[in-house]
């Protein structure tokens, strides 16, 4: 039995599940979102069988089409008008589902006045969409977990047909576990490059957990502490816009009427609390209700609410606070004379 | 005399070789008035062109282009101003382009060919467009069908072999790049041509919607077809920052279905009239016209 839990790893550094077999949060190891099994070492023979064919000698590498690194994202940001979107929320709040659903809406030409102009990450967009596509042969839509410890970026170039202005959305994809760790250990927070560079911080509130009386307080605490960690570390001193996004809204819509009313009332109080508590850290806070990948489209259509969120993301970047602007004071008195 | 090169792009079975066969017959037979006309057989090897033209005249399916051969065919033609122009058409296997999407690499020889073309002829089989389909919609469709007592074994979007509809027996098929919708693969291919190491600047492209006779009943113009069936590609070409200058045509190069209409196709006295090019509302047999536009 010892070897059973010796194979476990927890994202929470304070948890001793690999030694004791007991989850720090009292959860079953199969259901704890932070707990995973160590991957067995892969033999060279197996590796040789599973890896794709090695490149033909002398073949030319083309653009990879996968999620971008920070360096690659910076290149995109320097090249054209752009917006950086950070998605913050606990594990399984629906961050990757949101990204996949937005891409599918664009691909299906159902994004209002927005038109596709380009994407450096089509290959990975397709991969994250796959578990919700027919070809996966799944019976319900699914989204694979984002590996924790790294941030990567999706890229979507859009043009608004009203203004004919084109810009690049650079959307950060980071595991919820990383943000949870930041609220436990604030020294981790400043490494979140996507937060300090974000034009819009989108905080995702899991609608499914709001329906659970046992879970909703923990959800609220988790989210509040995550934002607090970002604020205390100075990562949001640049005052980005704030989108408070209620995800999995289809589950609330299909819930019992009283449960739905209670969950929505709880959410409204919750989002007001966030806005009041962190009012000095954000500009133009807005609330959105979305159903990125509902299991049944009879309740709400796939991608419900995403167009409004996209319009918010797309709007002009927030003005920087005065303190952020570097003022050069001339040394000579003559240089300081104003007309 | 000037030398021009036009790159013929497209995923496997998109009609590239059939186009070349029909083009060579149209030019060499001289039965129909064309914008580009035949000059001479001198200076080139026509073995490949004559071979594929023979199959076309017999209304037989083209043999898949050998991936290792990378045929580059050249025709000596006369343009509308009476000037001689040697036009090269690399006849590359569709797997070459598929490999660019799936493996993100290509051979240096292919890269040289792709960068040599003044213009691009992009082929898409109009009747084999793989569109994205979603589990949630499929489940709702099946539920509705069950409630109406209809059979539910219908895949919503795809007619290509080897793709799937949901079933209980075989869940969780892992992702493979080949499962991506047609428009995504094609858009990425076009993007790769505008990125290093293949980028040579903005070019013209003609989107050839092949097997047009199979979709003509839908009553859409080629432009509307592109807009409705391949919206991502349409938007990329129309609004994209890669600055392609594009046109879209419907093309029926075979003239009909070889499986069911071979006899009537062979019975046509002037085989060139099997060819139909739909450009906006105009219908003609002259498939050299898009080539002239690409070379302008």
């Amino acid at each position: 039995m010892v070897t059973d839990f010796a194979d476990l790893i927890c994202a929470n550094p304070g948890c001793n599940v690999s030694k004791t077999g007991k989850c720090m949060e009292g959860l079953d190891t199969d259901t704890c979102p932070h707990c995973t099994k160590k991957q067995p070492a892969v033999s060279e023979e197996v590796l040789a069988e599973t890896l794709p064919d090695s490149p033909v000698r002398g073949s030319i590498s083309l653009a990879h089409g996968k999620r971008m690194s920070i360096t690659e994202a910076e290149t995109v940001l320097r090249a054209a008008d752009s917006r950086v979107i950070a998605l913050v929320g606990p594990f399984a709040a629906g961050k990757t589902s949101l990204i996949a659903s937005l891409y599918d809406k664009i691909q299906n030409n159902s994004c209002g006045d927005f038109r596709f102009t380009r994407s450096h990450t089509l290959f990975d967009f397709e991969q994250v969409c796959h578990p919700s596509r027919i070809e996966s042969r799944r019976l319900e839509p699914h989204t694979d977990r984002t590996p924790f410890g790294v941030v990567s970026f999706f890229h979507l170039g859009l043009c608004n047909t009203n203004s004919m202005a084109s810009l690049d959305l650079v959307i950060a994809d980071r595991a919820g576990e990383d943000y949870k760790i930041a609220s436990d250990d604030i020294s981790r927070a400043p490494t979140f490059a996507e937060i300090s560079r974000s034009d819009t911080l989108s905080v995702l509130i899991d609608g499914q957990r709001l329906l659970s009386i046992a879970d909703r307080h923990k959800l609220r605490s988790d989210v509040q502490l995550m934002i607090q960690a970002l604020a205390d570390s100075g990562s949001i001193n640049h005052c980005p816009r704030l989108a408070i996004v209620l995800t999995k809204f289809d589950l609330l819509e299909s819930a019992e009427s009283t449960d739905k009313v209670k969950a929505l009332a709880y959410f409204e109080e919750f989002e007001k609390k966030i806005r009041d508590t962190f009012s000095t850290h954000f500009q133009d806070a807005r609330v959105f209700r979305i159903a990125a990948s509902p299991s049944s489209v009879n309740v709400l259509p796939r991608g419900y609410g995403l167009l409004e969120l996209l319009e918010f993301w797309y709007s002009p970047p927030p003005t920087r606070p005065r303190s952020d602007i570097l003022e050069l004071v001339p040394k000579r008195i003559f240089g300081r004379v104003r007309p | 005399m000037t030398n021009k090169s036009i790159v013929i792009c497209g995923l496997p079975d998109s009609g590239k070789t059939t186009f070349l066969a029909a083009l060579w017959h149209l030019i060499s037979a001289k039965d129909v008035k064309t914008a580009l006309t035949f000059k001479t057989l001198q200076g080139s090897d026509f073995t490949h062109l004559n071979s594929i033209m023979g199959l076309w005249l017999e209304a037989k399916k083209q043999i898949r282009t050998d991936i290792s051969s990378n045929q580059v065919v050249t025709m000596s033609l006369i343009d509308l101003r009476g000037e001689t122009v040697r036009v090269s058409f690399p006849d590359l296997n569709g797997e070459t382009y598929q490999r660019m999407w799936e493996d993100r690499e290509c051979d240096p020889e292919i890269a040289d060919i792709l960068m040599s073309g003044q213009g691009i002829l992009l082929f898409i089989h109009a009747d084999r467009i793989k569109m994205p389909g979603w589990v949630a919609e499929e489940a709702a469709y099946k539920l509705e069908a069950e409630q109406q007592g209809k059979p539910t074994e219908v895949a919503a979007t795809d007619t290509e072999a080897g793709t799937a509809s949901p079933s209980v027996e075989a869940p969780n098929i892992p992702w493979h790049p080949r499962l991506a919708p047609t428009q995504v693969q094609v858009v990425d291919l076009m993007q790769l041509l505008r990125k290093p190491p293949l980028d040579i600047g903005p070019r013209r492209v003609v989107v050839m919607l092949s097997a047009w006779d199979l979709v003509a009943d839908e009553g859409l113009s080629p432009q509307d077809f592109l807009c409705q069936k391949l919206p991502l590609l349409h938007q990329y070409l129309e609004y994209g920052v890669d600055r392609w200058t594009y046109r879209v045509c419907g093309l029926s190069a075979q003239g009909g279905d070889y499986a069911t209409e071979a006899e009537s196709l062979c019975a046509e006295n002037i085989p060139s009239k099997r060819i139909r090019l739909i450009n906006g509302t105009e219908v003609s047999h002259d498939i050299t016209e898009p080539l002239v536009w690409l070379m302008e």
Side-chain angles (χ1 to χ4, degrees):
Chain A
M1 287 304 290
V2 175
T3 51
D4 282 342
F5 54 76
D7 289 339
L8 298 172
I9 317 173
C10 185
N12 187 338
C15 181
N16 291 320
V17 68
S18 61
K19 294 175 185 168
T20 64
K22 291 180 181 176
C23 173
M24 188 187 182
E25 298 182 17
L27 299 170
D28 189 272
T29 52
D30 291 333
T31 56
C32 175
H34 313 300
C35 186
T36 51
K37 278 193 174 176
K38 285 178 188 169
Q39 295 297 314
V42 181
S43 67
E44 286 187 10
E45 292 79 22
V46 173
L47 201 61
E49 283 176 15
T50 53
L51 283 176
D53 295 340
S54 53
V56 177
R57 187 183 299 171
S59 62
I60 296 174
S61 294
L62 306 174
H64 56 68
K66 297 179 180 174
R67 274 169 271 208
M68 301 183 296
S69 66
I70 291 175
T71 309
E72 289 167 332
E74 282 172 349
T75 306
V76 172
L77 298 178
R78 278 196 298 270
D81 196 7
S82 56
R83 305 278 184 275
V84 178
I85 310 298
L87 304 177
V88 174
F91 161 77
K95 296 181 286 296
T96 309
S97 295
L98 190 161
I99 294 169
S101 185
L102 178 64
Y103 165 71
D104 264 342
K105 267 183 97 67
I106 292 286
Q107 185 173 171
N108 210 28
N109 194 22
S110 53
C111 253
D113 297 325
F114 294 100
R115 300 289 182 270
F116 172 83
T117 61
R118 63 172 174 168
S119 172
H120 298 311
T121 56
L122 282 181
F123 196 84
D124 264 7
F125 267 130
E126 280 300 314
Q127 188 159 18
V128 296
C129 285
H130 174 69
S132 298
R133 295 258 182 86
I134 291 171
E135 289 80 6
S136 72
R137 297 200 181 184
R138 287 178 179 272
L139 301 177
E140 288 196 348
H142 173 80
T143 304
D144 289 335
R145 291 179 65 168
T146 305
F148 45 84
V150 289
V151 65
S152 54
F153 298 87
F154 284 97
H155 169 245
L156 200 52
L158 297 174
C159 173
N160 186 301
T161 52
N162 285 329
S163 61
M164 290 309 288
S166 295
L167 66 76
D168 291 304
L169 288 182
V170 177
I171 308 170
D173 187 31
R174 184 191 282 277
E177 287 89 338
D178 287 351
Y179 296 119
K180 173 73 172 70
I181 290 169
S183 62
D184 297 336
D185 177 3
I186 200 168
S187 65
R188 290 282 302 274
T191 62
F192 296 152
E194 75 278 16
I195 303 291
S196 54
R197 180 60 185 81
S198 63
D199 294 297
T200 300
L201 187 78
S202 300
V203 175
L204 274 58
I205 316 281
D206 187 339
Q208 187 172 20
R209 293 179 68 185
L210 280 178
L211 284 167
S212 165
I213 293 172
D215 205 15
R216 64 176 65 163
H217 297 306
K218 176 130 189 352
L219 168 67
R220 178 172 169 159
S221 169
D222 284 349
V223 171
Q224 209 163 319
L225 286 173
M226 278 179 192
I227 305 173
Q228 190 68 55
L230 300 178
D232 289 352
S233 66
S235 300
I236 48 176
N237 279 356
H238 62 295
C239 293
R241 277 186 305 251
L242 174 65
I244 302 172
V245 184
L246 171 57
T247 62
K248 306 176 191 173
F249 188 53
D250 54 302
L251 296 180
L252 273 74
E253 284 289 274
S254 58
E256 293 285 334
S257 175
T258 50
D259 292 343
K260 177 186 168 185
V261 170
K262 281 181 189 170
L264 284 176
Y266 190 88
F267 172 71
E268 281 166 18
E269 192 189 324
F270 181 16
E271 56 93 352
K272 186 173 182 305
K273 178 78 173 175
I274 293 174
R275 289 205 275 187
D276 291 346
T277 307
F278 302 103
S279 60
T280 57
H281 291 89
F282 296 106
Q283 302 179 35
D284 194 14
R286 291 258 308 270
V287 176
F288 300 89
R289 297 172 180 188
I290 67 166
S293 186
S295 53
S296 169
V297 291
N298 293 330
V299 180
L300 288 174
R302 190 169 34 79
Y304 172 86
L306 284 184
L307 183 54
E308 292 74 17
L309 182 61
L310 177 60
E311 284 168 349
F312 187 64
W313 286 355
Y314 195 91
S315 53
T319 51
R320 305 285 171 188
R322 191 72 189 160
S323 59
D324 260 16
I325 301 169
L326 182 63
E327 282 201 54
L328 294 175
V329 181
K331 287 180 182 172
R332 297 175 63 206
I333 290 174
F334 182 77
R336 296 179 210 165
V337 174
R338 302 282 165 96
Chain B
M1 184 176 72
T2 52
N3 291 308
K4 303 275 186 180
S5 176
I6 291 171
V7 177
I8 301 181
C9 282
L11 297 172
D13 282 328
S14 54
K16 302 181 291 295
T17 304
T18 304
F19 168 81
L20 269 183
L23 175 69
W24 181 232
H25 172 78
L26 183 76
I27 286 172
S28 59
K30 308 172 200 171
D31 293 329
V32 170
K33 193 171 186 298
T34 54
L36 294 172
T37 52
F38 182 79
K39 166 80 174 176
T40 177
L41 284 175
Q42 286 183 341
S44 296
D45 181 347
F46 293 92
T47 308
H48 178 64
L49 277 176
N50 287 336
S51 168
I52 60 176
M53 181 178 72
L55 290 171
W56 183 84
L57 286 168
E58 292 173 312
K60 288 183 179 171
K61 189 172 166 55
Q62 294 293 335
I63 298 163
R64 295 173 69 79
T65 309
D66 181 3
I67 195 164
S68 60
S69 64
N70 295 331
Q71 297 281 351
V72 178
V73 299
T74 304
M75 301 178 192
S76 288
L77 306 171
I78 300 170
D79 67 16
L80 289 170
R81 292 170 296 185
E83 292 180 11
T84 302
V85 53
R86 274 173 62 83
V87 190
S88 301
F89 302 93
D91 185 15
L92 305 182
N93 187 296
E95 275 78 8
T96 300
Y97 299 107
Q98 200 157 43
R99 186 172 160 229
M100 290 168 67
W101 158 252
E102 293 178 10
D103 300 337
R104 321 303 295 181
E105 62 185 26
C106 73
D107 297 333
E109 183 189 7
I110 302 290
D112 289 342
I113 289 171
L114 293 174
M115 290 191 288
S116 68
Q118 276 90 351
I120 308 281
L121 267 178
L122 174 64
F123 280 80
I124 298 171
H125 195 294
D127 197 39
R128 288 192 196 145
I129 293 172
K130 179 173 155 50
M131 295 179 178
W134 294 275
V135 171
E137 271 83 348
E138 179 76 353
Y141 167 79
K142 289 181 84 170
L143 184 67
E144 189 183 335
E146 279 171 13
Q147 286 169 349
Q148 294 175 358
K150 294 178 183 172
T152 57
E153 286 301 314
V154 180
T157 57
D158 186 22
T159 55
E160 279 187 287
T163 53
S165 59
S167 74
V168 180
E169 291 79 19
N172 304 357
I173 301 294
W175 184 71
H176 188 282
R178 205 165 295 180
L179 295 173
T182 304
Q183 60 175 353
V184 175
Q185 296 190 44
V186 171
V187 165
D188 199 62
L189 176 61
M190 299 299 287
Q191 290 191 144
L192 288 174
L193 293 175
R194 287 292 280 120
K195 286 178 182 170
L198 302 179
D199 184 25
I200 60 162
R203 283 187 269 185
R204 290 189 172 194
V205 59
V206 173
V207 179
M208 281 287 196
L209 299 168
S210 63
W212 185 257
D213 50 297
L214 298 180
V215 298
D217 286 350
E218 296 183 31
L220 296 171
S221 68
Q223 183 71 29
D224 289 342
F225 188 92
L226 180 74
C227 189
Q228 290 184 26
K229 310 285 185 179
L230 300 156
L232 199 77
L233 177 61
H234 170 250
Q235 292 175 17
Y236 168 72
L237 293 171
E238 189 73 29
Y239 300 96
V241 292
D242 285 343
R243 293 191 290 150
W244 292 100
T245 304
Y246 82 101
R247 276 172 57 179
V248 54
C249 298
L251 173 68
S252 178
Q254 290 187 175
D257 186 350
Y258 288 167
T260 59
E261 300 172 65
E263 202 171 325
S264 62
L265 291 172
C266 289
E268 170 65 57
N269 281 336
I270 302 174
S272 296
K273 291 190 175 178
R274 283 165 48 188
I275 304 165
R276 288 167 66 85
L277 180 79
I278 293 85
N279 184 6
T281 55
E282 291 178 16
V283 182
S284 79
H285 305 297
D286 184 11
I287 51 176
T288 69
E289 194 277 333
L291 307 182
V292 172
W293 182 76
L294 284 175
M295 293 188 293
E296 276 175 5

